[in-house]
Amino acid sequence: MTSSVPSVRARRRTALAALLCAGLATALTACGEDPDQGTNGVGKLDAMEIEKRAQRAADSADAVRLAGTLVSKGGTYKLNMQLRKDGGTGSVVSKDSTFELLRIGDALYLKADSGFWSHEEKPGTDGGAGGAAADKLQNKYVKVPQDDPTYKQLRGFTDKKFLLDGLLTLHGTLDKGDRAEVGTKRTIQIQGGDGQGGTLDVSLEGKAYPLRFARGGGGGTVTLSDWGKNFPLEAPAQVDTVDYGKQLPKTAS
């Protein structure tokens, strides 16, 4: 008669090994897969340190592409901007208008459709410069005078540091979130105020660049890519440029 003792002992050893593996999983033993294997190690840090790493990586990069949607009291805006330390280019789309921006140093150029240059006029009122400006300026590059009230506002869309500082700010107590993916890259998420202060995906591959930011309260989501990839910035041709003088028409929105 064959004894069942060896098989019982074998089952006990297997159960014990499984228990040990489960208990030591957080210590990343050979019992299971190490979630940080092949990463930059940022996933092992606490939320505040991850945020600092992401900010340092963003500040050190010469260029980035920012694309996505921002929601504010003034409406919803779709951005697709390429940003460098010395300028930027791209487009901004709102409900009523579309415009393109190009900045080289302090020289800021604006190209917009007629919806940007003119407002709807009430019946029986004088449209003023609105219609004329729209006809003259639509789809032409206009060099925005630095004294114009809209210069600072429009320049902000092309300013890498200004835009990233404003967009990548998490509010409230920082917490470490889940591991996720943005495109093909693995990320670690950090959240502000239980997610109500925004959620930031930080790359676990290569430099700890921020790759996606979801603003709290449904304020939109932007993705960040092409970190460090340079792109050309050239002034528009003279034939495509209109000089409107010291101030843009007041109908610009």
Side-chain angles (χ1 to χ4, degrees):
M1 182 176 179
T2 304
S3 172
S4 62
V5 173
S7 61
V8 171
R9 290 177 177 173
R11 287 197 298 270
R12 287 177 177 174
R13 286 197 297 268
T14 300
L16 179 59
L19 181 62
L20 288 174
C21 281
L24 296 176
T26 55
L28 305 177
T29 68
C31 297
E33 182 181 353
D34 181 352
D36 290 302
Q37 184 175 1
T39 73
N40 54 23
V42 170
K44 299 178 180 180
L45 305 176
D46 62 33
M48 291 186 65
E49 187 58 33
I50 294 173
E51 182 185 47
K52 291 178 182 178
R53 292 283 185 95
Q55 290 174 343
R56 287 199 295 266
D59 290 342
S60 68
D62 292 330
V64 64
R65 177 185 290 275
L66 186 152
T69 302
L70 298 178
V71 181
S72 67
K73 293 181 180 179
T76 300
Y77 300 88
K78 293 183 179 179
L79 278 68
N80 188 355
M81 302 296 301
Q82 287 179 285
L83 307 171
R84 289 187 351 194
K85 292 183 177 181
D86 59 345
T89 183
S91 63
V92 180
V93 180
S94 68
K95 179 182 177 181
D96 300 318
S97 64
T98 299
F99 59 93
E100 297 178 19
L101 294 170
L102 168 64
R103 182 174 64 84
I104 306 170
D106 290 327
L108 177 64
Y109 299 89
L110 166 68
K111 183 167 75 170
D113 62 9
S114 59
F116 179 90
W117 293 114
S118 61
H119 293 300
E120 292 185 12
E121 301 293 338
K122 294 180 180 180
T125 61
D126 183 4
D135 292 339
K136 181 180 179 181
L137 302 179
Q138 68 172 327
N139 299 321
K140 290 283 189 178
Y141 281 101
V142 178
K143 188 172 183 180
V144 183
Q146 294 187 35
D147 293 336
D148 189 272
T150 62
Y151 176 86
K152 184 177 181 180
Q153 177 185 0
L154 294 175
R155 180 192 169 108
F157 286 109
T158 67
D159 190 315
K160 174 178 174 286
K161 180 173 174 53
F162 175 82
L163 201 56
L164 293 185
D165 286 351
L167 289 178
L168 302 181
T169 300
L170 295 166
H171 300 282
T173 302
L174 293 186
D175 295 308
K176 195 171 175 180
D178 299 327
R179 291 168 188 270
E181 289 185 354
V182 175
T184 61
K185 292 192 174 182
R186 290 175 290 173
T187 66
I188 181 70
Q189 294 181 335
I190 53 175
Q191 301 175 330
D194 295 326
Q196 296 303 308
T199 300
L200 180 66
D201 278 82
V202 179
S203 178
L204 287 173
E205 302 176 20
K207 277 196 173 183
Y209 289 124
L211 298 184
R212 180 172 57 199
F213 180 62
R215 300 177 74 195
T221 300
V222 295
T223 58
L224 302 106
S225 60
D226 295 344
W227 285 103
K229 293 185 179 180
N230 198 13
F231 58 91
L233 284 175
E234 298 180 357
Q238 190 66 34
V239 68
D240 296 324
T241 306
V242 174
D243 184 359
Y244 205 83
K246 294 183 178 181
Q247 188 171 346
L248 298 181
K250 293 182 179 180
T251 53
S253 56

